[in-house]
């Protein structure tokens, strides 16, 4: 097994208490390998987003531990977590990914600018060329299509060469063609540029762009699959639903 | 629909409170003004009712002169007439009454009461029940070396019966033995004034003119009504003495009216500032409603989509405004109670010490406050409410708050038209067509700037934010945020802008007046030292003092300068009174024709302008009537160019000789002999002036500074009153920022997720706030300087010639605006840093 970019060990997350207690995560142990594209699937409410947020340092666990690279997140202060997110983690959300007052390029450079860094311009140029939006860099998000916005979000996530990129249903709001383009770029970011991506998705097609799929159910890992294709995934999901 | 709207607005308590804040402060100031002036009038009403309780009739001279700016000066009443009054059947008792200038000198040599404080009176204490004073300790004064003083002065000066007390008055400075301590009516001293009281004859010769009092207070024996008594007394008076008799009720009423006029002036002045504050509150309310309706666009669109009519959507906003207006005004009244105390304190700090006993809270005032507050709120909410109704149902499908700037072209044209009218009015006012055009001009220019606000907001915010943006990406975001909703920014900036413009205009005006005073006095005053009397209040330096100073061995030359009230050419006027024999070199009148040193006792020097407009020539005569009724024909012996200090008429102090009019010097200018050291000069001059409680001794520089700085007192008061407007403007910034932070919480969450630290979040909010406040300050300063220029241009013919830029105040204003921006951002920034990342990114 290659080295892990991010790991969760016996991770549990409980919302509320007593009768209204919800175990969003229930003792999840998992490692996301470096240089791989991992998908997380599972029924609605199974804890996918919760897992992702906790591993990414956006939310904290009730018990268990998570690490990005060698860094354990539990001991970090808010400031250290923020710095870690800025430098080691990339994010792509389903929607509202971009700051409306900044243009595409500024959005891409945002995590670097926040850290007061120049960034690796050669790398950033490669990323921009890969997503194919060089002629749109001066445009504001409101002047870009949904697909273009998501591509800018991918570029932003890649810009700081993070240890791992988390994407929560990045194509959830896109039609299948545009979604396919965005997923294609994510795939190339892993295969050609050596990045690590963890993506939550409901879509079997989207999941089949990944190297490995982890299935969650009721806050627990229900199984996994490597070298997925859409049919295999749909089959498995049907079987998981029973 | 009404109850639904009610429910909807009550569900948003936070916003309700925020919006109310502006109206609470605005109505608070208004009701504070109401309560304050009501309390004041009531206090004086009670006081005078009390004081004249035992006075059934009142005799005074019919000779008086209306003083410019209201009020009157009346001639004295001869004591000889008192016997004929006492002889009238039905008169039980009568006594003379005097209220003149007298200053009690404390045990340490400093006078009681400050130069700017309440007046210092001298008067009569007599056994008559009609007298105003009740002896508490000791006994009544009797003879030329005894006096009584009011209780609060005795306490302040630590005097007890038996002490020797020095008192200064018109006729000079004398020592008396304190034989008693008295109360005025039932209180220790009205309004913090000080009183030195003597027997009738002593008071007459020491305080006024031998043989005269101000009036007679008469008590009847109860056999006649006040009217019958007054008629009887009047019939007994020698008609050649030119006296009249009023009933006790009439004089009490007249006195109340006089005080009422002063209170009325004060309350008008305060009301103007509270209306300014309310107007500024309007902008804040308007802005809040604009923002919240924009933010609720989707909600409103949804209501439209599911079948609510335009009117119903508009109604919800109006109902909310109604609730805020009523609640805010009620709270505002409560705040006003506190503010009315604050107002007393503020005025006291600037030397206007006013007695208040218990606050006067009147029903009609409460009603007025609530009605005005509610109307103002409704008025401010009308346009946002209409806009809310106009939202297309389709907008429900669209994203976040967006804002359209109506028709830019329309705005541009309207603004231009109003601006042109404003500038034209300014030009006409400066050209001397009519001074009130200045008001029209000011209002139009402000209106034009505010109409243009949304058009210029974006470029100006971007420009002001440029230095921040160059710093860091957070600076760039602050700049973009300030520029992203031009209408919102303009609405937030407007109150700041108005407040700053007013402050700047007043500063510019004051700076010009100050430098004018400086150069005028510098030009005309050639002496080494000046002894000056307090400027406000009455009284001054005894006329004999200048001669006494001139006779000192150290002194080369000394001359007194005073101001008198006479009726000249049919109108009550202030005239400057000089002593031409000693004035040359010390008081330079800037003569055009004639020679000031040759001004005779029956001569007058008039301003060149007046002479030209009236067609007067040298040798023409002007009729001058003194307060005591003496009429003299004065010959025009010269013309001069006045400069704001000397007024338009100058006469010789000898003109007053042989009349019973009081005359004081305001200032004595002194030149020392060569070789007299500063130490010796101060010692010699101080001994006859300051150490006797007479005036203030100042060197040339000190004197010029002090004269120039007098304007600062008024300026300070104006700043104090404008401060509330500024507070409301700051509240406006806070509210806008809070609403913006709320609106952008998802964005902030996203930024936090991708690595923005809390302090960077704080920085963007502070940056936006500072850009906004600096926007208001910079435009306000420019506008204020422009208006200051216009004001001085318009008043130029009134003696203020040169405009001077208030550079110091401008810099202070800009620095303050920066600090205010930072302070306004504190709470919104904290809210921004507390945005929950998870909540922000998971809300869809
Ligand atoms: N803030 C919260 N408070 C209480 N319960 C929560 C909270 N957030 C999530 N949950 C609960 O935790 C469980 C897991 O939620 P999570 O969002 O991780 O699911 P998910 O797998 O991402 O679902 P979906 O596919 O619908 O996005 C759900 O039962 C949800 O109701
Ligand atoms: Mg989810």
């Amino acid at each position: 097994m290659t080295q892990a970019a991010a790991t969760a060990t016996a991770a549990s997350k409980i919302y509320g208490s007593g009768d209204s207690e919800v175990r969003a995560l229930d003792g999840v142990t998992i490692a996301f390998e470096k240089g791989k594209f991992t998908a997380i699937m599972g029924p609605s409410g199974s804890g996918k987003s919760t897992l992702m947020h906790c591993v990414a340092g956006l939310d904290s666990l009730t018990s268990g531990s998570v690490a990005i690279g060698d860094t354990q997140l539990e001991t970090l202060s808010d400031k250290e977590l923020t710095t870690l997110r800025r430098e080691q983690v990339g994010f792509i959300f389903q929607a509202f990914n971009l700051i409306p007052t900044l243009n595409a390029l500024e959005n891409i450079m945002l995590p670097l600018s926040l850290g007061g860094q120049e960034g690796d311009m050669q790398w950033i140029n490669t990323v921009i060329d890969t997503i194919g939006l060089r002629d749109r860099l001066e445009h504001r998000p409101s002047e870009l299509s949904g697909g273009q916005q998501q591509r800018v979000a991918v570029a932003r996530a890649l810009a700081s060469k993070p240890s791992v990129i988390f994407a929560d249903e990045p194509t959830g709001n896109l039609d299948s063609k545009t979604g396919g383009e965005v997923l294609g770029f994510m795939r190339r970011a892993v295969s050609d540029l050596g990045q690590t991506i963890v993506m939550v998705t409901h879509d079997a097609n989207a999941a089949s762009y990944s190297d490995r799929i982890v299935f969650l159910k009721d806050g627990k890992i229900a199984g996994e699959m490597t070298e997925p294709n859409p049919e295999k995934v749909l089959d498995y999901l049907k079987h998981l639903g029973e | 629909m009404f109850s639904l709207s009610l429910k909807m607005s009550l569900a948003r308590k936070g916003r309700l409170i925020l919006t109310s804040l502006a109206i609470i402060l605005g109505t608070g100031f208004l009701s504070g003004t109401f309560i304050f002036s009501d309390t004041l009038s009531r206090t004086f009403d009670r006081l005078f009712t009390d004081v004249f309780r035992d006075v059934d009739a009142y005799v005074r001279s019919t000779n008086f002169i209306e003083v410019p700016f209201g009020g009157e000066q009346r001639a004295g009443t001869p004591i000889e007439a008192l016997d004929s009054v006492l002889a009238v059947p039905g008169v039980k008792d009568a006594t003379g009454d005097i209220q003149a200038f007298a200053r009690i000198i404390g045990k340490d040599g400093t006078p009681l009461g400050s130069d700017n404080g309440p007046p210092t009176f001298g008067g009569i204490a007599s056994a008559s029940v009609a007298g105003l004073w009740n002896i508490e300790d000791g006994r009544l004064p009797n003879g030329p070396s005894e006096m009584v003083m009011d209780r609060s002065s005795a306490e302040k000066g630590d005097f007890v019966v038996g002490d020797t007390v020095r008192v200064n008055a018109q006729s000079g400075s004398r020592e008396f033995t304190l034989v008693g301590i008295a109360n005025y009516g039932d209180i220790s001293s009205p309004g913090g004034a000080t009183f030195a009281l003597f027997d009738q004859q002593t008071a007459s010769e020491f305080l006024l003119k031998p043989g005269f009092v101000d009036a007679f207070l008469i008590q009847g024996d109860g056999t006649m009504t006040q009217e019958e008594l007054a008629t009887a007394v009047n019939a007994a008076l020698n008609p050649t003495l030119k006296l009249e008799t009023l009933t006790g009720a009439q004089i009490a009423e007249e006195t109340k009216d006089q005080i009422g006029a002063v209170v009325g002036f004060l309350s008008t002045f305060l009301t103007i500032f509270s209306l300014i504050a309310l107007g500024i509150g309007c902008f804040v309310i308007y802005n809040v409603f604009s923002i919240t309706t924009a933010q609720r666009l989707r909600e409103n669109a949804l209501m439209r989509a599911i079948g609510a009519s335009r009117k119903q959507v508009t109604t919800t906003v109006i109902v909310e405004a109604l609730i805020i207006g009523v609640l805010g005004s009620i709270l505002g009244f409560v705040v006003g109670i506190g503010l009315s105390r604050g107002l007393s304190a503020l005025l006291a700090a600037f030397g206007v010490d006013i007695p208040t006993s218990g606050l006067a809270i009147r029903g009609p005032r409460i009603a007025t406050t609530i009605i005005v507050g509610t109307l103002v709120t409704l008025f401010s909410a009308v346009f946002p409410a209409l806009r809310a109704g106009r939202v297309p149902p389709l907008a429900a499908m669209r994203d976040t708050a967006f804002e359209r700037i109506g028709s830019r072209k329309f705005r541009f044209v309207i603004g231009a038209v109003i601006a042109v009218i404003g500038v034209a009015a300014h030009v006409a006012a400066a050209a001397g067509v009519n001074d009130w055009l200045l008001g029209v001009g000011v209002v139009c220019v402000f209106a034009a700037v505010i109409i243009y606000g949304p058009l210029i907001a974006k470029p100006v915010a971007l420009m002001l934010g440029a230095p921040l943006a160059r710093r860091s990406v957070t600076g760039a975001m602050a700049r973009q945020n300030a520029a992203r909703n031009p209408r919102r920014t303009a609405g937030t900036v407007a109150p700041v802008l108005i407040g700053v413009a007013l402050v700047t205009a007043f500063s510019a005006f004051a700076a010009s007046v100050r430098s004018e005073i400086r150069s005028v006095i510098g030009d005309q005053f050639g002496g080494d030292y000046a002894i000056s009397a307090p400027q406000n209040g009455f009284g001054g330096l005894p006329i004999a003092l200048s001669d006494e100073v001139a006779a000192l061995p150290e002194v080369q030359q000394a001359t007194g300068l005073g101001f008198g009230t006479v009726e000249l050419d049919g109108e009550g006027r202030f005239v400057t009174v000089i002593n031409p024999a000693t004035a040359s070199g010390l008081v330079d009148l800037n003569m055009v024709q004639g020679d000031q040193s040759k001004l005779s006792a029956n001569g007058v020097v008039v301003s060149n302008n007046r002479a030209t407009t009236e067609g007067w020539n040298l040798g023409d005569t002007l009729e001058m009537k003194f307060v005591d009724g003496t009429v003299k024909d004065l010959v025009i012996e010269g013309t001069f160019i006045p400069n704001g200090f000397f007024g338009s008429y100058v006469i010789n102090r000898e003109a007053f000789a042989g009349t019973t009019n009081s005359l004081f010097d305001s200032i004595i200018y002194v030149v020392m002999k060569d070789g007299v050291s500063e130490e010796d000069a101060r010692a010699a001059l101080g001994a006859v002036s300051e150490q006797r409680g007479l005036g203030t001794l100042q060197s040339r520089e000190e004197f010029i500074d002090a004269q120039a700085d007098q304007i600062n007192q008024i300026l300070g008061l104006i700043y104090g009153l404008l401060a509330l407007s500024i507070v409301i403007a700051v509240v406006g910034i806070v509210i806008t920022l809070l609403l913006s932070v709320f609106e952008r919480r998802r964005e902030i969450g996203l930024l936090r997720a991708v690595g923005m630290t809390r302090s960077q979040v704080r920085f963007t909010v502070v940056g936006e706030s500072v850009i906004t406040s600096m926007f208001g300050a910079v435009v306000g300063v420019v506008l204020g300087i422009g208006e200051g220029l216009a004001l001085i241009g318009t008043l130029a013919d009134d003696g203020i010639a040169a405009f001077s830029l208030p550079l110091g105040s401008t810099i202070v204003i800009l620095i303050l605006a920066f600090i205010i921006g930072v302070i306004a951002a504190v709470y919104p920034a904290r809210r921004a840093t507390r945005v929950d990342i998870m909540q922000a990114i998971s809300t869809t």
Side-chain angles (χ1 to χ4, degrees):
Chain A
M1 198 166 117
T2 46
Q3 215 187 334
T7 55
T9 312
S12 290
K13 174 81 182 178
I14 301 171
Y15 288 110
S17 59
D19 279 351
S20 60
E21 183 181 292
V22 176
R23 282 184 175 266
L25 287 181
D26 193 0
V28 172
T29 298
I30 190 168
F32 301 108
E33 293 154 65
K34 257 190 190 158
K36 291 282 161 131
F37 190 165
T38 310
I40 303 175
M41 297 196 78
S44 188
S46 56
K48 306 181 293 291
S49 297
T50 308
L51 175 64
M52 202 196 90
H53 293 150
C54 289
V55 176
L58 289 171
D59 205 353
S60 56
L61 289 171
T62 310
S63 67
S65 65
V66 292
I68 301 283
D70 299 328
T71 316
Q72 291 297 127
L73 303 194
E74 292 73 33
T75 55
L76 299 185
S77 69
D78 178 76
K79 200 161 179 192
E80 290 164 331
L81 267 180
T82 306
T83 313
L84 176 113
R85 286 200 300 269
R86 198 166 66 208
E87 290 170 357
Q88 310 280 334
V89 182
F91 285 102
I92 307 159
F93 300 107
Q94 183 173 350
F96 305 112
N97 256 306
L98 306 179
I99 301 301
T101 49
L102 301 180
N103 67 26
L105 181 62
E106 287 163 342
N107 265 292
I108 293 172
M109 301 296 288
L110 185 60
L112 290 164
S113 329
L114 285 173
Q117 289 156 328
E118 286 290 312
D120 177 346
M121 276 327 286
Q122 205 185 333
W123 165 255
I124 289 162
N125 277 319
T126 311
V127 169
I128 289 170
D129 288 332
T130 310
I131 62 164
L133 281 177
R134 185 160 290 285
D135 53 338
R136 296 294 175 128
L137 291 179
E138 297 295 319
H139 290 223
R140 292 274 174 88
S142 57
E143 298 158 347
L144 298 174
S145 73
Q148 288 167 334
Q149 288 182 28
Q150 287 306 80
R151 281 194 272 164
V152 172
V154 175
R156 183 193 61 207
L158 287 166
S160 60
K161 275 199 244 176
S163 308
V164 54
I165 294 170
F166 293 100
D168 196 346
E169 301 186 40
T171 56
N173 278 5
L174 305 178
D175 64 50
S176 57
K177 180 168 171 287
T178 324
E181 278 169 24
V182 172
L183 288 162
F185 293 124
M186 292 171 70
R187 181 67 249 176
R188 285 174 61 195
V190 176
S191 311
D192 302 355
L193 305 175
Q195 295 299 297
T196 308
I197 296 182
V198 177
M199 172 180 75
V200 169
T201 186
H202 276 119
D203 178 6
N205 254 323
S208 61
Y209 280 81
S210 70
D211 297 313
R212 167 193 176 210
I213 302 178
V214 176
F215 293 95
L216 278 187
K217 196 183 174 187
D218 299 332
K220 294 192 177 87
I221 295 189
E224 58 172 276
M225 176 188 292
T226 44
E227 292 170 27
N229 65 54
E231 293 76 38
K232 253 169 82 178
V233 175
L234 284 174
D235 253 17
Y236 190 91
L237 284 175
K238 218 181 269 167
H239 148 84
L240 192 69
E242 282 154 14
Chain B
M1 197 62 204
F2 184 86
S3 64
L4 186 66
S5 325
L6 197 76
K7 213 179 263 171
M8 283 168 69
S9 51
L10 286 179
R12 286 180 280 262
K13 283 197 198 69
R15 205 179 60 220
L16 218 56
I17 292 168
L18 276 183
T19 321
S20 307
L21 213 54
I23 199 69
I24 289 174
L25 289 175
T27 52
F29 197 8
L30 186 69
S31 61
T33 302
F34 285 161
I35 297 170
F36 176 72
S37 26
D38 286 350
T39 306
L40 214 56
S41 333
R42 194 185 61 182
T43 307
F44 282 114
D45 276 4
R46 283 191 188 157
L47 184 67
F48 289 113
T49 309
D50 203 35
V51 158
F52 289 107
R53 193 178 44 204
D54 296 324
V55 177
D56 294 318
Y58 185 89
V59 172
R60 68 178 179 193
S61 169
T62 51
N63 285 322
F64 72 95
I65 285 175
E66 300 252 356
V67 179
F69 312 119
E72 56 176 43
Q73 274 205 0
R74 200 168 282 272
T77 308
I79 297 176
E80 54 177 280
L82 192 57
D83 288 338
S84 53
V85 170
L86 283 166
V88 174
V91 171
K92 182 176 165 198
D93 202 358
T95 178
D97 180 43
I98 289 179
Q99 275 202 358
F101 166 78
R103 207 124 193 239
I104 300 168
I105 309 303
K107 286 185 167 166
D108 58 353
T110 56
L112 255 54
S114 75
D115 279 2
N116 307 315
T120 55
F121 289 108
I124 298 173
S126 78
S128 165
V129 265
L132 307 177
W133 291 93
N134 304 321
I135 297 294
E136 281 272 297
D137 283 355
R139 57 175 175 80
L140 285 166
N142 188 10
S145 64
E146 292 187 359
M147 71 172 285
V148 161
M149 70 171 78
D150 63 291
R151 168 156 308 281
S152 78
S153 299
E155 280 164 7
K156 254 182 272 169
D158 202 15
F159 288 114
V160 292
V161 172
D163 282 351
T164 301
V165 183
R166 176 169 284 283
V167 181
N168 293 333
Q170 178 181 11
S171 68
S173 182
R174 270 164 65 173
E175 285 192 336
F176 297 89
T177 307
L178 186 67
V179 298
I181 288 167
N183 276 349
Y184 191 74
D186 295 331
I187 57 175
S188 57
S189 138
T194 69
F195 289 84
L197 306 165
F198 312 92
D199 72 10
Q200 182 164 294
Q201 195 187 339
T202 311
S204 167
E205 60 182 45
F206 180 53
L207 301 174
L208 221 53
K209 287 265 167 177
F212 287 89
V213 292
D214 283 336
F216 300 151
L217 307 174
I218 301 161
Q219 193 189 23
D221 58 10
T223 56
M224 293 186 202
T225 64
Q226 286 197 349
E227 286 73 20
E228 288 163 351
L229 185 70
T231 314
V233 167
N234 211 36
L237 295 170
N238 179 349
T240 60
L241 294 176
K242 295 218 164 79
L243 298 174
E244 65 181 356
T245 313
L246 277 64
T247 65
Q250 279 171 331
I251 186 63
E253 207 47 48
E254 204 182 288
T255 316
K256 281 180 202 170
D257 287 349
Q258 276 166 14
I259 294 287
V262 175
V263 173
F265 174 75
L266 192 65
S267 93
T268 308
F269 181 73
L270 291 175
T271 307
I272 288 173
F273 282 90
S274 46
L275 290 180
I276 292 175
L278 253 180
I280 282 179
C282 265
F283 281 100
V284 175
I285 298 164
Y286 167 81
N287 209 32
V288 175
F289 274 100
S290 293
I291 298 171
T292 53
T293 49
Q295 287 179 355
R296 269 190 308 179
L297 188 98
R298 248 213 273 200
E299 191 181 308
N300 288 332
L302 190 67
M303 288 187 47
R304 293 277 283 120
I306 61 172
S309 69
R310 274 187 183 195
K311 219 170 123 191
Q312 283 170 318
V313 172
T314 300
T315 308
T316 53
V317 181
I318 294 287
V319 166
E320 187 168 330
L322 193 71
I323 296 170
I324 288 169
V326 173
L327 286 182
S329 308
I330 293 173
L331 287 177
F333 194 87
V334 176
V335 168
I337 296 174
L339 276 179
S340 67
R341 290 180 190 280
L343 269 176
S344 299
L346 177 68
L347 288 175
F350 289 100
V352 190
D353 202 354
I354 288 156
T356 48
S357 50
L359 295 176
I361 294 169
R362 306 216 319 245
R365 297 298 208 183
I366 301 181
T368 311
T369 305
I370 293 172
I371 290 168
V372 169
T374 308
L375 287 181
V376 160
T377 314
L378 285 176
F379 170 75
S380 312
V382 162
F383 287 102
L386 290 176
R387 223 179 291 137
R390 256 186 262 129
V391 65
L394 248 177
M397 319 305 149
R398 251 178 258 149
D399 194 26
T400 50
F402 80 110
E403 109 184 3
R404 288 199 339 254
I405 300 179
S407 159
R408 291 180 146 255
K409 210 185 255 170
F410 181 70
R411 202 172 259 281
F412 186 83
V413 171
I414 286 287
V417 168
I418 294 179
V420 167
I421 294 175
V423 170
H426 271 313
V427 171
V433 176
N434 195 330
D435 278 1
W436 63 259
L437 279 172
L438 181 68
V440 176
V442 171
V443 171
C444 285
V445 167
F446 272 84
V449 169
I450 285 158
I451 289 169
Y452 274 132
L455 300 181
I456 63 165
K458 192 169 175 181
V460 174
L462 288 177
M463 193 185 76
L464 288 171
L468 266 186
R470 237 172 280 130
R471 269 263 178 80
S472 60
V473 67
T474 41
M477 294 181 64
R479 173 180 180 231
Q480 292 296 342
N481 284 343
R484 75 198 276 184
N485 305 97
R487 179 186 263 156
R488 178 182 306 184
T489 305
T492 313
V493 160
V496 182
L497 187 154
I498 296 172
V500 167
L502 289 175
V503 168
T504 309
F506 282 120
S507 302
F509 183 68
S512 306
V513 172
R514 208 178 295 135
S515 72
E516 187 71 20
I517 293 175
R518 210 170 267 284
S519 75
V520 164
I521 297 181
D523 280 359
Q524 290 164 344
F525 166 40
D528 302 322
Y529 292 91
I531 300 167
S532 49
Q535 296 293 311
N536 43 355
F538 60 143
L541 306 171
I543 213 80
L545 185 61
S546 64
D547 302 330
E548 201 179 332
V549 170
L552 291 172
E554 294 87 351
V555 171
Q556 174 79 38
Q557 187 190 352
T559 193
L561 181 74
F563 300 94
T565 315
V566 298
E567 197 174 293
L568 206 122
D569 197 34
E571 243 182 81
R573 300 178 197 281
F574 290 126
V575 292
T576 304
V577 185
I578 63 168
N579 180 357
T582 57
S584 27
L586 280 179
V587 174
D588 181 6
L589 284 185
N590 206 358
M591 300 289 282
V592 178
Q593 291 172 285
D595 179 351
Q596 78 174 63
S597 66
K598 298 215 173 88
L599 179 62
S600 73
N602 293 316
V604 58
V605 176
V606 300
S607 87
N608 202 36
N609 269 350
R610 296 255 353 135
T612 315
T613 49
E614 301 285 338
W616 291 334
N617 293 310
L618 293 200
D620 288 355
T621 57
L622 298 178
E623 190 187 84
M624 180 170 81
K625 194 175 130 196
F626 290 95
V627 171
D628 67 354
T630 316
V631 176
K632 279 190 179 176
D633 279 335
L634 296 187
V635 180
I636 298 178
E637 294 182 342
T639 58
F640 75 114
I641 297 175
N643 36 35
F645 196 59
F646 287 138
S648 297
Y649 305 90
V650 180
I651 60 172
N652 188 332
R653 73 176 188 182
E654 295 301 327
F656 280 77
T659 73
T660 60
N661 299 286
S662 50
L663 178 64
F664 293 99
D665 274 331
S666 291
I667 307 165
I668 297 172
Y669 294 132
V670 188
V671 185
M672 306 307 291
K673 283 201 175 120
D674 279 347
V676 176
S677 71
E678 168 155 11
E679 215 172 313
D680 292 346
R682 280 191 185 270
L685 295 174
V688 294
S689 59
E690 274 186 343
Q691 275 155 45
R692 282 157 46 181
L694 293 173
T696 310
L697 174 65
Q698 285 162 323
S699 69
R700 179 189 166 84
E701 284 70 35
E702 288 166 349
F703 174 69
I704 291 175
D705 285 346
Q707 296 292 311
D709 286 345
Q710 277 178 25
I711 189 86
N712 288 358
Q713 267 194 34
I714 307 205
L715 200 60
L717 186 61
I718 289 174
Y719 285 167
L721 295 171
L722 282 177
L724 199 92
S725 300
I726 304 278
V727 167
I728 296 178
V730 174
V731 167
I733 299 183
V734 175
I735 298 175
T736 306
L737 285 176
L738 276 175
L739 290 169
S740 296
V741 164
F742 175 75
E743 178 181 310
R744 297 175 198 150
R745 62 198 182 285
R746 184 203 301 280
E747 193 177 315
I748 296 167
L750 174 67
L751 284 164
R752 293 275 294 127
V754 301
M756 186 180 256
T757 59
R758 289 215 157 104
S759 53
Q760 285 175 319
V761 171
R762 191 173 305 122
F763 186 82
T764 52
V765 179
V766 172
E768 182 180 352
S769 176
V770 167
I771 290 172
T772 308
S773 65
M774 290 306 282
F775 185 166
V778 168
V779 180
V781 160
V782 172
L783 189 61
I785 289 177
E787 289 300 341
L789 264 171
L791 186 62
I792 287 156
T794 306
L795 299 181
D797 39 331
D798 298 339
I800 299 159
F803 177 79
S804 42
L805 194 70
L807 199 62
S809 343
T810 304
I811 293 170
V812 170
I813 288 169
L814 293 178
I815 293 173
L816 278 181
F818 185 89
I819 295 171
I820 278 175
V822 173
I823 292 173
V826 168
Y827 183 62
R830 189 157 53 175
R831 290 289 289 263
T833 59
R834 301 238 169 115
V835 162
D836 184 344
I837 305 178
M838 291 308 303
Q839 221 176 346
I841 60 177
S842 57
T843 40
T844 41

